[in-house]
Amino acid sequence: MPFLTSPVLPAGTLARDPQPTLPSGDGFLLRPWRAEDAPAVHAAFQDPVMHQWHIRAADSVEEVGGWIEEWQQAWAQERAPQWAVVDAETDHLLGRVALREIHLDDGTAELAYWTTAEARGRGVASRATTTLARWALDDIGFHRLELLHAVRNEASCRVAAKAGFLLEGTKRSSALHRDGWHDMHLHARVQGD
């Protein structure tokens, strides 16, 4: 049975070009991951706050090296591309932003992020999220980006609001974390917001 609509974004929209480096315009860069980032990512995942809101743990630098290999392959697969958020001058790791749950036909994706302990409270997450959202919506042509976070994660709620993601509702008991099921806030940005 034929579809009555055309795909919003055709297959190959992302993979036809190399993964870009995206300047934030205010001292940060979103760049593709490198193998040498593994020690910094491992260190970031030793932070107890990371364990509170994320479902992965990093037991070794070697394990994180495997994650980075997956992250590097995700661009070509148009599956879940991720960027390192770094200081533009020093290349020091400050966090990560990603597009997940990509559905090119529908022009939708989910945006996710984390920051290192030292980067928190400096606006890194909201500015990196804004940079990636603008690129995905304006340059690539996604129609809708969603952002989910645990309702109790008030800092992530502030990040979403600062990045222009409107709160649309609460998904009850929708994410299993180490301490049990969490209600999740659903935020979104659409083209034209």
Side-chain angles (χ1 to χ4, degrees):
M1 177 181 305
F3 288 98
L4 298 175
T5 59
S6 299
V8 175
L9 296 168
T13 294
L14 298 177
R16 69 177 169 231
D17 295 313
Q19 183 176 1
T21 295
L22 306 171
S24 70
D26 55 5
F28 304 122
L29 288 178
L30 283 56
R31 65 154 171 80
W33 287 97
R34 302 175 186 149
E36 58 267 23
D37 294 323
V41 174
H42 179 261
F45 271 79
Q46 304 317 301
D47 176 15
V49 172
M50 193 72 84
H51 298 170
Q52 183 176 8
W53 304 120
H54 296 277
I55 60 172
R56 289 184 97 170
D59 292 331
S60 69
V61 172
E62 292 74 25
E63 177 185 16
V64 172
W67 297 356
I68 290 174
E69 288 176 12
E70 291 173 14
W71 298 344
Q72 291 169 329
Q73 295 166 8
W75 177 261
Q77 298 166 353
E78 297 183 317
R79 187 174 36 89
Q82 307 205 26
W83 285 259
V85 179
V86 299
D87 182 284
E89 290 184 18
T90 66
D91 200 48
H92 183 72
L93 181 67
L94 302 170
R96 159 273 209 176
V97 289
L99 293 176
R100 307 184 314 182
E101 304 297 327
I102 293 174
H103 299 280
L104 293 173
D105 285 354
D106 296 329
T108 63
E110 178 186 335
L111 200 144
Y113 53 84
W114 53 256
T115 56
T116 62
E118 68 183 272
R120 290 193 196 112
R122 296 174 37 201
V124 172
S126 61
R127 292 184 300 197
T129 298
T130 299
T131 299
L132 184 56
R134 284 184 184 148
W135 173 82
L137 293 166
D138 300 341
D139 296 351
I140 298 303
F142 279 91
H143 175 71
R144 176 182 170 89
L145 299 177
E146 295 184 348
L147 189 157
L148 292 153
H149 66 81
V151 169
R152 294 185 303 186
N153 188 342
E154 294 176 6
S156 274
C157 204
R158 289 189 299 273
V159 166
K162 286 179 185 175
F165 283 75
L166 300 179
L167 178 61
E168 294 188 338
T170 301
K171 295 177 71 171
R172 296 178 304 124
S173 194
S174 75
L176 181 59
H177 286 242
R178 184 170 70 166
D179 61 349
W181 289 98
H182 283 243
D183 292 350
M184 302 293 283
H185 272 167
L186 170 63
H187 296 258
R189 275 183 69 168
V190 298
Q191 277 195 9
D193 280 353

